[in-house]
Amino acid sequence: MRGRAKPPPSPLPQRDGIDPVRVRLPDDPDGQWPTVRAHLLARFGDAIGADRVDAMLAGGRFVSALGAVTGREPYAAGRYLWFHRDFAPEEPVPFPVGVVYRDEHLIVADKPHFLATTPRGRHITETAVARLRRELGLPLLQPAHRLDRLTAGLVLFVVRPEERGAYQTLFRDRLVRKEYEAVAPYDPGLVLPRTVRSRIVKERGVIAAGEEPGEPNSESRIELLEHREGLGRYRLLPATGRTHQLRVHMNGLGLPLVHDPVYPVVEAEGAPDDWSRPLQLLARVLEFTDPVTGGPRRFESGLRLSAWPER
């Protein structure tokens, strides 16, 4: 069986660093949709309303490779359409995205706290990838991995789409050495360094991950670098990449990270971000052998955790 043909390039440019939505008209063996409009109403009417779909058609917002569609065209399975979503207003994250390194293959960014890596949920244009595309003029830029929105530090972005898979494979196969820094309470009775292994489970729709009995699926090494005034500065070395892994492991040791809004207690969902209280977790080092050039790579964040000022 022959595979589906590659979609044609979008006739619409990015908007605010975000790609247009691509729609492929599916097969219609029962003839449910005599026109393009009929399908769009069935597909999007419940979500945004029939009036909104008609307004988008009237405004030329749905586009094919040949130009805007009116909706009156006969339905044709396999045809591609594109459109831009309406973005809800987003509060700008008041911190810059630093660039630690740049060449023809990679951008290594220093992502600030509170900024999502990629569009998701209510964070679309205020994301690291959208900002960097706009600021650097690189519309094809894509992340090779993702860093949690509340965590600051290094994120690797790929300049050339054809090379993205090679860099993603590094993270998938755990060939990247990651080093994090955290600030949390100091417990003189806790013996460190130590390696924590546990089974972490994250249910869809539930904010906090949890640990449960069973075969471990996560591993982190915890090291104390220094302590003062009841706080410790820690080096965290994850061997695996479960959701919230480092935060879960530190909390399990009785060392919840400073300003963590989830562990040990989930704060009110939907509360506005408090820019003065960033989660004290920083992705400080990325180290790997470059799959494209073959050379060694080591990058270090220039950011510092606010709860541990230099003296």
Side-chain angles (χ1 to χ4, degrees):
M1 182 181 294
R2 298 178 63 182
R4 180 181 296 176
K6 183 179 179 181
S10 171
L12 293 176
Q14 288 179 348
R15 191 178 77 189
D16 295 327
I18 303 298
D19 291 325
V21 178
R22 185 181 69 222
V23 175
R24 182 182 182 275
L25 302 186
D27 292 339
D28 182 22
D30 298 326
Q32 301 178 69
W33 309 305
T35 63
V36 170
R37 176 182 178 273
H39 174 72
L40 295 177
L41 288 175
R43 190 164 185 160
F44 301 114
D46 288 344
I48 63 174
D51 290 345
R52 186 63 190 147
V53 173
D54 283 335
M56 292 177 67
L57 284 167
R61 300 254 324 255
F62 289 100
V63 175
S64 74
L66 301 177
V69 299
T70 66
R72 296 186 296 272
E73 298 87 350
Y75 186 83
R79 188 179 188 185
Y80 287 96
L81 304 178
W82 292 263
F83 69 95
H84 280 294
R85 292 176 288 173
D86 292 316
F87 303 134
E90 297 178 47
E91 183 176 9
V93 176
F95 310 111
V97 182
V99 174
V100 172
Y101 177 83
R102 177 178 182 176
D103 66 16
E104 67 270 30
H105 305 287
L106 301 177
I107 301 290
V108 182
D110 240 348
K111 186 187 79 66
H113 296 284
F114 303 106
L115 189 70
T117 303
T118 56
R120 186 177 182 182
R122 58 191 175 93
H123 305 286
I124 306 297
T125 59
E126 274 298 297
T127 55
V129 67
R131 276 203 194 177
L132 288 170
R133 286 171 174 174
R134 298 192 301 260
E135 294 170 5
L136 302 180
L138 295 173
L140 300 181
L141 193 70
Q142 292 284 354
H145 64 119
R146 188 176 67 85
L147 193 62
D148 187 72
R149 186 178 75 87
L150 297 182
T151 304
L154 298 179
V155 184
L156 189 150
F157 293 86
V158 182
V159 176
R160 298 172 176 172
E162 65 271 20
E163 295 175 351
R164 187 186 186 197
Y167 290 103
Q168 285 181 314
T169 298
L170 287 179
F171 291 89
R172 184 198 67 192
D173 294 347
R174 303 176 187 172
L175 299 176
V176 178
R177 180 182 178 273
K178 302 176 186 178
E179 181 178 318
Y180 288 73
E181 184 176 311
V183 178
Y186 168 65
D187 180 357
L190 185 65
V191 177
L192 294 175
R194 70 169 58 192
T195 298
V196 179
R197 298 180 182 89
S198 71
R199 183 169 187 80
I200 295 178
V201 177
K202 176 71 165 62
E203 295 182 14
R204 186 178 182 89
V206 178
I207 295 176
E211 293 177 288
E212 64 178 33
E215 183 178 353
N217 60 6
S218 63
E219 178 180 321
S220 307
R221 181 172 174 81
I222 314 296
E223 301 175 359
L224 176 67
L225 297 175
E226 55 183 325
H227 66 89
R228 66 187 185 214
E229 301 174 4
L231 293 177
R233 185 169 71 91
Y234 298 87
R235 177 188 291 124
L236 310 180
L237 303 168
T240 55
R242 311 302 298 187
T243 299
H244 295 180
Q245 175 177 314
L246 297 176
R247 297 159 69 182
V248 169
H249 282 168
M250 289 293 283
N251 183 60
L253 294 174
L255 306 174
L257 303 191
V258 172
H259 303 326
D260 194 326
V262 176
Y263 306 96
V265 178
V266 178
E267 297 181 0
E269 189 174 357
D273 290 318
D274 184 345
W275 311 126
S276 68
R277 292 172 56 84
L279 174 70
Q280 294 300 285
L281 182 61
L282 174 66
R284 177 167 294 286
V285 174
L286 289 177
E287 193 169 6
F288 56 91
T289 298
D290 194 300
V292 175
T293 68
R297 299 278 202 174
R298 188 181 190 280
F299 304 105
E300 185 167 349
S301 172
L303 299 175
R304 296 292 180 267
L305 293 174
S306 58
W308 199 269
E310 294 185 0
R311 291 186 174 180

